[in-house]
Amino acid sequence: MNRRTLLRSTLVGAAATLVLASCSSETSLPDGTLGDPNNAQLTFWDNNAGPDRTPLYEELIRRFEAANPGIDIQYVGLPSDSAQQKYQTALAGGSAPDLGIVSTAYLAPLVAQDAVISLDDFMAASPQRDEYDAGILESARESGGGEHLFGLPYTSNNATLWYRADWFAEAGIEPPDTYDEFFEAAKDLTDKDDGRYGFTIRGGAGSIYPLLQYMFASTGIESVFEDGESTLNRPEMVDAIERFAALYDVATPTADVNNGFPQMVASFGGGSVAMMQHNLGSLSNHEKALGDKAGAVALPRNEDGKRTVMTDPFPSYTVFKSSKHQAAAWKFLEFMTSQESQAYWNERVGQIPVNKAARTAPEFESMPSVQAALAALDDPKTVLVTPPDYLPDFGKIVQVQMLGQWQKVLIGQLSAQDFADDFAEKLDRSMAKYVARQGK
């Protein structure tokens, strides 16, 4: 079973003038929508609250409430590492919010629980329906099971190779465009006596997803499943894992086996590593620490010259089935995904708007990371791989079950072949359960 969607983001070539998107006008709604679209008190949960992003939501909420005085938005910020559990706890206790931000990595379990509503009818009635990137919406549908749109994406956050532009310039090395160049640069820029390393490899929390992105990028394999079986233990995948793991403690810090994002970004910004793989969302961290010394390129091409990109989990707005104010909730979501709101939010976090017209904002032209991601997506030779987020236990496999196994690979206690076989077997079992449930 091949669940891959070839997601192709379309750049908007014509200039557009950003105007304030006011949602005080009437919103087109499907028949039978619950609640008054102009009067409600809504509880809105953010799954990744923090000092960089919470103020952005607060500002957009202020704008929305000013245009819609009958609607009050109660913002609740959740830590990203506990957001999924908090949603589940709220559902079990009958206290789910009206709407919230949910990652595609854990959207499928909410769909399986019948906890969120389909947004297809709302989208069909919306005057903004043609402004959204159709490919990203299709990927969102796949994340929820393939048939309906249960989450409305508002940003695309592609995997990126960040590099120390000043170190590369000093060494006379161009940023890597192929994986051979990447491994050579990691070796050449390592000087352990000087406390410098060519790369920081993620071994701690959150390490499996970027490992998968590397595996598909370096091999050029185009799907997680082919003919109903996982591709993760193919010989070329095993070779890729071995080559990547061999960087550990040679061209990377020893502490990387336990390091997650905070430690990686500290090493990169603190001047001890030359390259790190992370998505576009870390732009603000690098700008604060390094300014223009931080460069960015898309993940390198494989040996065949092909660029293969596994899409990053992206956040989506969802409306919970228990909400009695679904009309007002959709009105808020239309505002949050309007051209003005999309440009405001994505400019400030350095990510790609889902609203295509918002991409013409001039601020994006000065962001090399965003331009590199857009150029890769716009390249007709780029192949995009959609992860199987529709599998209800995919998140647990990636976030929990394979983490310790990857650490064993890094320290030489588990072979790449055994790791890949275990990973593939878990995904095959998950797919078999999913197919059986679909047949009921």
Side-chain angles (χ1 to χ4, degrees):
M1 178 180 297
N2 189 338
R3 301 286 301 182
R4 176 171 57 91
T5 297
L6 295 182
L7 166 63
R8 184 71 59 197
S9 293
T10 304
L11 296 177
V12 180
T17 302
L18 291 178
V19 295
L20 179 63
S22 170
C23 285
S24 58
S25 60
E26 289 300 316
T27 299
S28 296
L29 296 166
D31 294 339
T33 304
L34 294 178
D36 185 339
N38 300 308
N39 290 281
Q41 185 174 77
L42 300 174
T43 303
F44 168 53
W45 284 15
D46 170 14
N47 72 339
N48 190 14
D52 292 331
R53 304 194 184 197
T54 294
L56 305 183
Y57 289 116
E58 290 174 338
E59 170 60 20
L60 289 171
I61 289 169
R62 184 196 65 76
R63 295 182 187 183
F64 176 79
E65 290 179 337
N68 298 271
I71 302 177
D72 177 60
I73 307 292
Q74 295 183 335
Y75 171 88
V76 178
L78 307 177
S80 61
D81 58 357
S82 61
Q84 182 176 6
Q85 183 57 49
K86 289 185 182 297
Y87 276 118
Q88 291 298 328
T89 300
L91 287 170
S95 58
D98 293 285
L99 68 160
I101 302 172
V102 172
S103 170
T104 53
Y106 53 86
L107 176 61
L110 295 175
V111 174
Q113 292 170 278
D114 197 26
V116 293
I117 68 171
S118 167
L119 302 176
D120 290 300
D121 290 343
F122 290 92
M123 180 67 71
S126 174
Q128 292 181 184
R129 62 184 177 274
D130 294 330
E131 297 179 18
Y132 302 117
D133 187 304
I136 293 178
L137 291 185
E138 180 59 26
S139 186
R141 285 190 175 89
E142 287 226 345
S143 297
E147 295 182 10
H148 299 289
L149 185 70
F150 290 101
L152 179 58
Y154 60 93
T155 188
S156 182
N157 194 11
N158 292 64
T160 300
L161 185 65
W162 299 91
Y163 68 95
R164 286 291 303 264
D166 52 340
W167 289 21
F168 274 77
E170 289 169 5
I173 301 174
E174 292 295 321
D177 186 56
T178 68
Y179 270 101
D180 284 343
E181 293 173 356
F182 162 76
F183 283 102
E184 190 67 25
K187 175 184 174 182
D188 291 345
L189 293 172
T190 296
D191 184 347
K192 288 189 174 183
D193 292 337
D194 196 30
R196 285 191 174 193
Y197 298 88
F199 185 60
T200 175
I201 195 168
R202 192 166 185 167
S207 61
I208 303 303
Y209 210 95
L211 172 63
L212 283 171
Q213 291 176 317
Y214 154 76
M215 290 165 61
F216 282 95
S218 63
T219 63
I221 291 174
E222 299 182 8
S223 180
V224 180
F225 290 97
E226 289 186 4
D227 299 324
E229 294 186 354
S230 171
T231 61
L232 297 192
N233 61 343
R234 288 185 176 179
E236 54 265 54
M237 286 290 204
V238 175
D239 290 344
I241 295 168
E242 287 180 343
R243 191 180 189 190
F244 202 48
L247 289 174
Y248 172 66
D249 206 22
V250 175
T252 79
T254 304
D256 274 359
V257 68
N258 294 310
N259 283 350
F261 171 72
Q263 296 80 21
M264 293 169 58
V265 76
S267 296
F268 183 69
S272 59
V273 297
M275 294 182 287
M276 67 172 284
Q277 178 187 324
H278 191 254
N279 56 43
L280 295 171
S282 56
L283 173 63
S284 62
N285 300 90
H286 306 321
E287 285 184 333
K288 290 176 184 176
L290 298 170
D292 60 5
K293 295 178 182 178
V297 291
L299 294 190
R301 305 174 194 273
N302 62 33
E303 61 182 13
D304 295 328
K306 182 170 62 177
R307 201 183 304 277
T308 308
V309 179
M310 172 178 271
T311 57
D312 223 61
F314 49 79
S316 296
Y317 296 124
T318 56
V319 177
F320 282 80
K321 198 168 187 177
S322 58
S323 173
K324 300 185 185 303
H325 308 289
Q326 295 172 7
W330 174 255
K331 192 172 190 178
F332 178 61
L333 296 197
E334 276 193 323
F335 173 84
M336 295 295 280
T337 55
S338 65
Q339 181 179 351
E340 167 78 9
S341 298
Q342 282 269 280
Y344 174 83
W345 197 90
N346 283 281
E347 284 169 11
R348 286 157 178 78
V349 300
Q351 295 176 186
I352 301 171
V354 174
N355 186 308
K356 296 179 292 184
R359 297 174 185 172
T360 61
E363 287 81 359
F364 291 116
E365 296 179 3
S366 62
M367 298 180 187
S369 55
V370 172
Q371 293 303 313
L374 287 172
L377 290 174
D378 198 44
D379 184 345
K381 296 180 181 179
T382 297
V383 175
L384 285 100
V385 179
T386 300
D389 291 316
Y390 53 88
L391 299 177
D393 50 358
F394 179 67
K396 182 165 65 174
I397 293 170
V398 171
Q399 297 166 19
V400 180
Q401 296 178 357
M402 297 308 302
L403 174 58
Q405 300 294 79
W406 171 233
Q407 291 175 320
K408 289 180 182 178
V409 174
L410 291 177
I411 61 177
Q413 293 183 355
L414 185 70
S415 71
Q417 183 70 64
D418 288 343
F419 173 84
D421 286 341
D422 184 25
F423 206 161
E425 182 182 0
K426 284 180 168 61
L427 289 184
D428 286 342
R429 287 201 306 266
S430 182
M431 175 61 80
K433 289 189 295 183
Y434 175 78
V435 171
R437 279 195 295 266
Q438 294 297 103
K440 291 182 179 180

